[in-house]
Amino acid sequence: MHFSFSDWLPEAPLQRLHLDWLTTAGIEVAILRLDQIDPLISGNKWFKLIEHLNIAAQSGAKGIISLGGAHSNHLHALAAAGQRFGFCTVGLLRGHPQETPTVRDLQAFGMQLHWLGYGGYRARHAADFWVPWKARYPDLQPVPEGGGGLPGARGCMQLKAQVCKQLSALGWSDYDGWWLACGTGTTLAGLVLAEAGEHQVYGALAVPDDHGVRQQVEVILEEAGFTEPAYELLDASRGGFAKVDPSLLEFITQTEQACAIPLEPLYTGKALLVLRQQVEAGTFKKGARLIFVHTGGLQGRRGFQ
Ligand SMILES: *Cc1c(COP(=O)(O)O)cnc(C)c1O
């Protein structure tokens, strides 16, 4: 890999979000559109990949091997980046071979796929999991699920600068906090590091509490030598990851009609719905200004329609 991945720094637009429940409560929200950075390489997954790709390039790797499910936004961004920038990609998939819009894209982008079954995928955290894959693909750099860990978080730190650069165009001099969906908590950890206590970061958990998001965030912050816990996690999972119910879908439809911003039900829809609940419960003072991160994921939504 010879490309310097900091040469391509896509900028996410920051836009005012107008919704009646925000207006009623006197809360202002600006939405950072990570879904709009690129037609193919979308969402927070690109920012999570940058440092992993730089590490791979520095170590002389020829490409990346990583893992995910049959709708994975992470594998999708990785495969698209591999095709665009000319490095090899191998994807280890959860479950048994199936055709989804995502899987078809991965193949079209030239990613080599291996299906691990469910048991095989569950073993991904075992100490010896990577041994056979490193033997089979010695030139490829392994990247953890979702592009996680401290390198993943470091890549997300630049989101703060992207927001600060665009504040004055909205007529804002400052903001009070961030609001975003969390899966592994890596993106949130990046924002907590970038803020260094300056602004609060609220994470809406798309996975149930027993997934250990708080522990994963703590591990990243500790590794970075940061101890001040300037963040808060709220449950947004609605009974489980990828569990979708009619009132969630209705909220997404209403929101899309009201503001013309596309959402998906696993992360961004759930995160915005919990924000509404908190706004209506009076969690924020009138006049509060929040940055809602649109983390992307719209390609994965094709599998649910
Ligand atoms: C992966 C993903 C997330 C979760 O990001 P983490 O860094 O794992 O917390 C949130 N939203 C979307 C759309 C995603 O694809």
Side-chain angles (χ1 to χ4, degrees):
M1 295 167 74
H2 300 295
F3 194 79
S4 165
F5 293 93
S6 43
D7 287 352
W8 187 61
L9 274 183
E11 299 241 330
L14 184 70
Q15 305 165 343
R16 280 298 312 275
L17 183 62
H18 296 287
L19 291 165
D20 52 7
W21 48 272
L22 290 170
T23 313
T24 304
I27 309 294
E28 293 187 76
V29 171
I31 180 167
L32 185 66
R33 301 289 303 272
L34 305 189
D35 60 315
Q36 290 198 329
I37 57 169
D38 185 83
L40 291 178
I41 307 173
S42 165
N44 61 338
K45 296 305 185 283
W46 169 252
F47 295 93
K48 293 172 74 176
L49 273 171
I50 296 170
E51 285 303 314
H52 286 293
L53 297 178
N54 283 331
I55 292 167
Q58 279 157 22
S59 69
K62 293 204 169 65
I64 301 283
I65 179 168
S66 193
L67 359 86
H71 304 283
S72 169
N73 296 321
H74 163 64
L75 289 184
H76 196 270
L78 175 62
Q83 186 184 52
R84 171 110 31 110
F85 302 120
F87 61 87
C88 325
T89 55
V90 173
L92 306 178
L93 280 111
R94 176 169 172 272
H96 302 293
Q98 59 169 308
E99 278 259 326
T100 65
T102 306
V103 167
R104 279 194 288 275
D105 281 355
L106 299 182
Q107 286 164 333
F109 295 147
M111 178 177 260
Q112 169 96 40
L113 306 183
H114 296 279
W115 295 85
L116 302 190
Y118 292 98
Y121 196 79
R122 235 174 280 128
R124 66 194 178 280
H125 302 302
D128 56 356
F129 174 83
W130 287 104
V131 173
W133 296 109
K134 279 181 176 160
R136 180 158 179 179
Y137 295 109
D139 293 337
L140 301 190
Q141 166 94 18
V143 165
E145 195 178 31
L150 181 56
R154 284 229 164 94
C156 296
M157 289 177 69
Q158 58 174 286
L159 296 179
K160 177 176 160 84
Q162 295 206 2
V163 160
C164 289
K165 237 191 295 184
Q166 299 179 74
L167 281 179
S168 63
L170 301 184
W172 289 15
S173 55
D174 200 1
Y175 56 94
D176 297 293
W178 295 80
W179 193 279
L180 76 156
C182 292
T184 62
T186 309
T187 308
L188 173 129
L191 295 176
V192 172
L193 289 175
E195 287 291 352
E198 225 181 298
H199 299 103
Q200 183 73 351
V201 186
Y202 297 92
L205 292 172
V207 296
D209 215 31
D210 61 2
H211 277 225
V213 175
R214 183 175 300 277
Q215 291 88 319
Q216 294 180 74
V217 171
E218 291 299 320
V219 166
I220 294 175
L221 297 182
E222 220 164 273
E223 209 182 325
F226 186 78
T227 47
E228 210 176 318
Y231 68 96
E232 202 176 302
L233 300 177
L234 302 93
D235 180 34
S237 68
R238 303 182 73 82
F241 179 61
K243 285 241 168 79
V244 167
D245 56 90
S247 61
L248 171 69
L249 294 177
E250 193 189 316
F251 171 74
I252 289 173
T253 305
Q254 277 174 2
T255 306
E256 288 180 341
Q257 281 165 0
C259 66
I261 292 171
L263 300 170
E264 47 67 54
L266 272 49
Y267 294 103
T268 48
K270 286 183 177 180
L272 193 62
L273 182 48
V274 166
L275 177 59
R276 186 179 77 178
Q277 288 160 358
Q278 292 296 317
V279 163
E280 288 176 347
T283 302
F284 299 105
K285 284 200 307 264
K286 208 175 160 79
R289 287 175 163 164
L290 297 174
I291 309 292
F292 181 91
V293 185
H294 192 312
T295 40
L298 298 170
Q299 73 77 28
R301 162 173 101 151
R302 296 171 300 174
F304 287 84
Q305 277 161 352

